[in-house]
Amino acid sequence: MNLSKKQAVFENEVLTRFELFNSLFMTLPFYQVKHTGTLLPFFTSHCERGVAEKLDPEAIIESFFGQYEQYVREADRIDLLFRIIQYIERQVVLFDAVEDAAFKKTGRSDEAGLLDSVFTQTENNKELRHKLVSKLRDFSLRLVLTAHPTQFYPGPVLAIITDLTEALKKNDINNIHLLLQQLGKTPFMMKSKPTPVDEAISLAWFLEKVFYPVASAIQSKIDDEFDLPADENRQLVELGFWPGGDRDGNPNVTVESTKRVALLLRTILFRCYYRDFRILKRRITFKGVEKYMDILQERFYENSFNPSETPENEKAVITHNLKEIKRVLTDYHDGLFVELVDDLLRKVKTFGCFFATLDIRQDSSVIRQTHAYIREKYAEKTGIVGDFEQLDETAKQRAFTFKSYDLPYEEDAHPLVADTLSVIRLIKDIQRSGGERAAQRFIISNCRQASDILELMELFLWSGWQTESLCIDFVPLFETVDDLTRAANVMEALYTHPHYKAHLAQRGNKQTIMLGFSDSTKDGGYLMANWSIYKAKVELTAMARQYDVDLVFFDGRGGPPARGGGKTQRFYASMGKEIANDHIQLTIQGQTISSQYGSWDTAYYNIEQLLHAGLTSHIGQKDGDTLSAEKKKLIDDMAHVSHEQFLSLRHNPLFLKYLEKFSPLKFLSQINISSRPVKRNSDKELRLEDLRAISFVTAWSQLKQNIPGFFGVGSALQWAEEQGKWEQVKELYETSGMFKTIVDNCMMSMSKSNFDLTSYIQADETFGDFWLKMRDEYERTKSYVLKLSGSKVLMENYPVERESIAIREKIVLPLLIIQHYAIRQLQTNKLSEKDQEVFSKLVTRTVYGVVNAGRNLA
């Protein structure tokens, strides 16, 4: 489908239908909805004119109300602003639903690269087919749902979106009308902050409704294509889970919440199994299966509705009885309904008794604190020297004894120390009831040295674990630009350490390394973050190959390009021969969960894209994917130019002050969307290094400046042109999938920017020059990326996404004007306590709508 035809389909299937159903929304039998809907088009066009004229938010809001005599009283004005927010929130839901309903017609692009195209390649090529089957036996995709603010919609609204999408697919006007009425009356705000268990319940909805059927359907498709048995010991799509396990900087995650989440996941999974089993039971009514059916009925039912606090691992029993039923069907009943048994067998093999692997994550500083507590309390037993902290890194690595003990903590232990030691013991219980895969990974964030990993390993041995049965993968997380630079040296120290080397051999010589994108963007800017991670992958791969280690990269990639998101699958498709790419693991977070994995259609498509990227990277790499030394030097030079530009902005004393004054940064902590604090060390004064990357990126996206997604790129490209290297950059863009994806994702960030919105700041005595510096870099970057891509407008080659972004930006513009107006009112210091509360609420309400509309802004 050519670009203009794609755009026409999108306009017909999405824009026209959105306008149609939006007009239906305006006729709802609620006076306030109808009245607000009538005024909103006038307010929107007034905001557009005001922004074009570079007016400040007060001038825009006050001149609008000046046109209407009935809005003289401040209370009436505020009431209308709140109603506009409520109306736009629902418009966003309607647009999401219309777009999702049309996904099959508009979402699949020519470069989608679905699995069918891979299968077609192998039809008449036995050698390639054999190569692909061999790859499939060792290849896996792990999607990890994270505990970051994952969903700005409460559960009831999510359910309405799902039902509305289905009604729109069928053009069921009566049902659409009823659902729009329900939407009009359903609150969008959560009254209290969710707990980690609440977050787990919210995300488990996606596990149950989407990932459970989709993972099985994709595995089934591949099994059928290559005639592989359903119960063969191989798993293509794996799921990971962070709510309840990720305690890094989140004091609300406790051992109790970890335990409750593990039990919750198990219970929800067994209810999925039980629903499938009931279908099986209605169909398989033949002789010879009764006793197996009875056993399964009892196991599925009890685990679903009477779950034990200390459950057993039922996987072997369930698998045995399903195989026996399959045997009876095959031997005596012509294989009738055997495909239903295969489907359930496949699901049990994939999800076991745990559903998703519960990852545990904690900061290295807490691990060090915990090790010090046990080391000092049991100095005689542990045999660790008293001056351990004063030793250099090499001496520390030699000082560990790795003796197995069962050393309890006492009441004097710091809460974080007690939690760390308790969760190490709890992991054993979770593995006992769900199998090793239920909780097999401990991620150490801010990992700076090999001793961070070795200390954690020793803590396990001091907590009742034995060396020969230590079924845990220790996963270092390298985040900042400096950490990424040192990563290969840290891993070499581990690969050559006798105790760690022995542990790795026990784990099949497979090492998982997590690379965090968000903090490296905050630390070094967009281009340097991308390049630092690429370089680290090359160096880490070389080190792993030198020591014969099977390396797995786990990428911490968020929704927006500024946090490593965007067109993620294209990064994996373009990994050259220098980067280990046998397994794909990445975090799914923010609005990406609902926008890319919120329905069967979108989840199936996006999982297929990632699988296709990994498989095609293996069976047919492009020449340009493995970068030459000359091309690496060019990107490295540009990354350093970009980095210098970003640091000159970041180190400006106005940087954090600007964010605090003009963005809703300080209000993010008041929004009931996450159990996590906005910053680490939440009881201290705000520092940039403590600010969570998600809050950092969200604040810039609310300003419509998206600095972490482009700043410095224009300066880097300008430098290349001035150095006479422009033709080399063009060739790089045309041949390197990795570099092209970096630039294309940068364009996506810029498409969601609008400096006109804040242009009034250029007249500000304090911040005017600072704003101009950012605006000038935006214009410079825009000019150069258009020149590089041969485009007239940003995202010219992605017309559907460009159009979708443009409509969403138009929908939320009034929210942004209201938000900036309310922030400025709060800074006047003339408001009563009651008015301060009202304007603060205006700010927080607009944040919801803007993030929901952006879909991958948070």
Side-chain angles (χ1 to χ4, degrees), residues 116-141:
D116 288 334
S117 65
V118 182
F119 299 157
T120 304
Q121 279 180 267
T122 67
E123 275 176 7
N124 300 311
N125 187 332
K126 284 187 179 178
E127 188 183 337
L128 188 61
R129 194 171 182 83
H130 177 74
K131 189 178 181 182
L132 191 61
V133 170
S134 173
K135 171 71 175 174
L136 283 166
R137 291 184 195 281
D138 189 44
F139 178 71
S140 65
L141 165 67

Side-chain angles (χ1 to χ4, degrees), residues 223-492:
D223 290 351
D224 291 347
E225 173 67 26
F226 296 104
D227 199 22
L228 302 170
D231 57 346
E232 190 174 296
N233 189 26
R234 133 200 62 73
Q235 186 183 343
L236 198 57
V237 180
E238 302 172 348
L239 298 176
F241 205 73
W242 276 20
D246 177 16
R247 54 233 317 120
D248 174 25
N250 187 351
N252 301 308
V253 177
T254 62
V255 169
E256 185 56 33
S257 56
T258 304
K259 183 179 180 181
R260 284 184 63 195
V261 169
L263 291 170
L264 169 85
L265 291 175
R266 179 191 170 95
T267 304
I268 290 171
L269 173 63
F270 269 91
R271 287 179 186 171
C272 292
Y273 286 159
Y274 186 61
R275 280 196 294 269
D276 282 355
F277 176 73
R278 288 179 66 188
I279 296 168
L280 202 72
K281 198 175 176 186
R282 286 178 69 181
R283 292 289 162 266
I284 301 173
T285 51
F286 318 136
K287 279 186 177 180
V289 298
E290 298 89 349
K291 65 177 180 178
Y292 311 120
M293 285 293 213
D294 288 346
I295 291 168
L296 290 173
Q297 164 73 32
E298 193 264 340
R299 298 295 167 104
F300 287 142
Y301 184 87
E302 287 301 315
N303 280 282
S304 295
F305 302 107
N306 300 307
S308 165
E309 284 288 308
T310 54
E312 296 294 317
N313 187 357
E314 309 270 16
K315 183 180 177 182
V317 175
I318 294 167
T319 304
H320 169 74
N321 283 280
L322 284 171
K323 285 182 177 178
E324 285 300 296
I325 292 169
K326 183 176 177 179
R327 178 184 60 77
V328 173
L329 293 180
T330 306
D331 292 350
Y332 303 106
H333 302 292
D334 305 317
L336 195 58
F337 299 126
V338 78
E339 70 281 357
L340 294 178
V341 182
D342 273 345
D343 180 58
L344 191 48
L345 254 176
R346 194 177 286 113
K347 285 168 177 167
V348 173
K349 185 188 77 66
T350 300
F351 304 118
C353 292
F354 61 93
F355 215 162
T357 300
L358 188 58
D359 285 348
I360 309 299
R361 182 172 77 136
Q362 186 52 283
D363 191 83
S364 59
S365 61
V366 177
I367 304 301
R368 286 193 287 273
Q369 187 183 350
T370 308
H371 191 270
Y373 172 83
I374 295 287
R375 189 174 71 229
E376 290 159 16
K377 184 165 277 295
Y378 298 97
E380 207 171 298
K381 280 193 173 181
T382 61
I384 304 281
V385 293
D387 63 346
F388 180 84
E389 290 293 355
Q390 280 67 54
L391 299 177
D392 64 26
E393 176 60 15
T394 306
K396 278 183 180 176
Q397 291 170 25
R398 284 199 298 265
F400 296 110
T401 60
F402 294 105
K403 293 176 183 175
S404 291
Y405 290 109
D406 195 344
L407 306 175
Y409 66 87
E410 294 176 11
E411 286 184 8
D412 62 342
H414 186 279
L416 286 175
V417 169
D419 176 76
T420 304
L421 293 169
S422 297
V423 83
I424 285 172
R425 293 170 187 274
L426 177 65
I427 292 170
K428 189 176 277 189
D429 295 334
I430 295 173
Q431 286 192 356
R432 194 178 297 119
S433 63
E436 183 185 308
R437 287 193 298 143
Q440 67 183 114
R441 312 204 302 183
F442 202 121
I443 299 160
I444 302 94
S445 54
N446 282 308
C447 187
R448 304 237 161 107
Q449 51 212 16
S451 57
D452 290 340
I453 298 280
L454 297 173
E455 284 188 16
L456 178 61
M457 189 172 156
E458 196 161 59
L459 284 172
F460 270 81
L461 296 176
W462 290 344
S463 302
W465 290 75
Q466 301 298 314
T467 303
E468 62 277 7
S469 56
L470 187 53
C471 311
I472 297 292
D473 296 321
F474 299 102
V475 181
L477 165 52
F478 302 109
E479 299 179 87
T480 66
V481 171
D482 284 346
D483 289 348
L484 290 164
T485 306
R486 291 195 304 268
N489 291 335
V490 170
M491 295 316 298
E492 183 171 33

Side-chain angles (χ1 to χ4, degrees), residues 526-813:
Y526 178 71
L527 188 54
M528 180 56 95
N530 275 285
W531 180 236
S532 296
I533 285 173
Y534 186 90
K535 277 200 303 182
K537 282 191 172 186
V538 171
E539 291 165 8
L540 287 164
T541 301
M543 193 63 71
R545 287 172 180 168
Q546 183 182 334
Y547 292 99
D548 198 26
V549 170
D550 180 12
L551 183 58
V552 181
F553 285 119
F554 174 25
D555 292 303
R557 291 183 172 273
R563 286 184 34 246
K567 294 187 171 297
T568 310
Q569 78 283 354
R570 287 167 76 222
F571 278 115
Y572 293 111
S574 61
M575 293 294 101
K577 291 175 181 152
E578 295 179 295
I579 293 178
N581 201 28
D582 289 335
H583 306 276
I584 293 176
Q585 297 192 7
L586 70 158
T587 54
I588 308 293
Q589 59 197 53
Q591 292 305 93
T592 312
I593 295 176
S594 56
S595 63
Q596 293 187 9
Y597 300 91
S599 69
W600 200 97
D601 289 341
T602 56
Y604 194 97
Y605 171 75
N606 283 293
I607 290 173
E608 256 198 316
Q609 279 210 317
L610 286 166
L611 289 172
H612 175 270
L615 294 174
T616 52
S617 170
H618 176 72
I619 63 175
Q621 291 185 341
K622 294 174 186 169
D623 291 340
D625 288 341
T626 303
L627 298 173
S628 65
E630 187 183 16
K631 286 179 178 175
K632 285 180 185 171
K633 175 76 166 60
L634 177 59
I635 300 179
D636 196 58
D637 288 344
M638 289 195 293
H640 278 93
V641 172
S642 171
H643 190 213
E644 284 171 20
Q645 273 294 315
F646 183 78
L647 289 183
S648 73
L649 186 76
R650 208 188 92 163
H651 291 155
N652 189 312
L654 295 177
F655 187 78
L656 204 51
K657 291 176 183 173
Y658 178 89
L659 265 187
E660 288 189 287
K661 182 175 175 66
F662 295 105
S663 84
L665 179 63
K666 63 180 72 170
F667 297 92
L668 296 180
S669 60
Q670 300 168 21
I671 299 177
N672 296 325
I673 56 169
S674 172
S675 69
R676 300 172 97 211
V678 166
K679 60 189 181 77
R680 295 177 174 91
N681 300 320
S682 52
D683 54 338
K684 297 179 181 174
E685 183 185 348
L686 180 63
R687 299 183 309 160
L688 187 59
E689 51 268 40
D690 292 332
L691 183 62
R692 287 194 179 279
I694 193 168
S695 309
F696 179 71
V697 172
T698 300
W700 285 112
S701 71
Q702 296 281 321
L703 278 166
K704 287 296 159 193
Q705 291 174 354
N706 290 327
I707 294 300
F710 75 83
F711 197 88
V713 174
S715 292
L717 293 172
Q718 183 179 28
W719 170 88
E721 184 180 53
E722 289 170 353
Q723 295 296 311
K725 299 177 188 286
W726 186 251
E727 289 306 314
Q728 289 171 256
V729 176
K730 275 179 69 177
E731 190 203 348
L732 191 61
Y733 180 76
E734 287 159 11
T735 57
S736 165
M738 179 272 295
F739 186 71
K740 186 177 192 303
T741 304
I742 288 174
V743 174
D744 288 357
N745 277 348
C746 173
M747 285 198 252
M748 184 190 289
S749 267
M750 297 178 76
S751 296
K752 297 181 179 184
S753 300
N754 181 359
F755 274 81
D756 286 348
L757 181 71
T758 51
S759 57
Y760 62 90
I761 298 173
Q762 64 188 300
D764 188 286
E765 281 186 27
T766 306
F767 295 98
D769 289 343
F770 186 78
W771 181 89
L772 282 168
K773 180 180 173 69
M774 293 187 290
R775 198 278 315 271
D776 290 348
E777 182 63 16
Y778 172 85
E779 294 297 343
R780 182 182 299 113
T781 304
K782 182 178 176 182
S783 165
Y784 274 99
V785 295
L786 289 178
K787 183 178 177 181
L788 182 60
S789 61
S791 307
K792 293 185 178 64
V793 292
L794 293 171
M795 296 184 72
E796 186 175 305
N797 294 325
Y798 307 100
V800 168
E801 288 161 296
R802 188 182 77 243
E803 197 87 27
S804 175
I805 289 169
I807 296 298
R808 291 172 181 278
E809 293 301 313
K810 182 182 173 73
I811 290 171
V812 299
L813 181 64

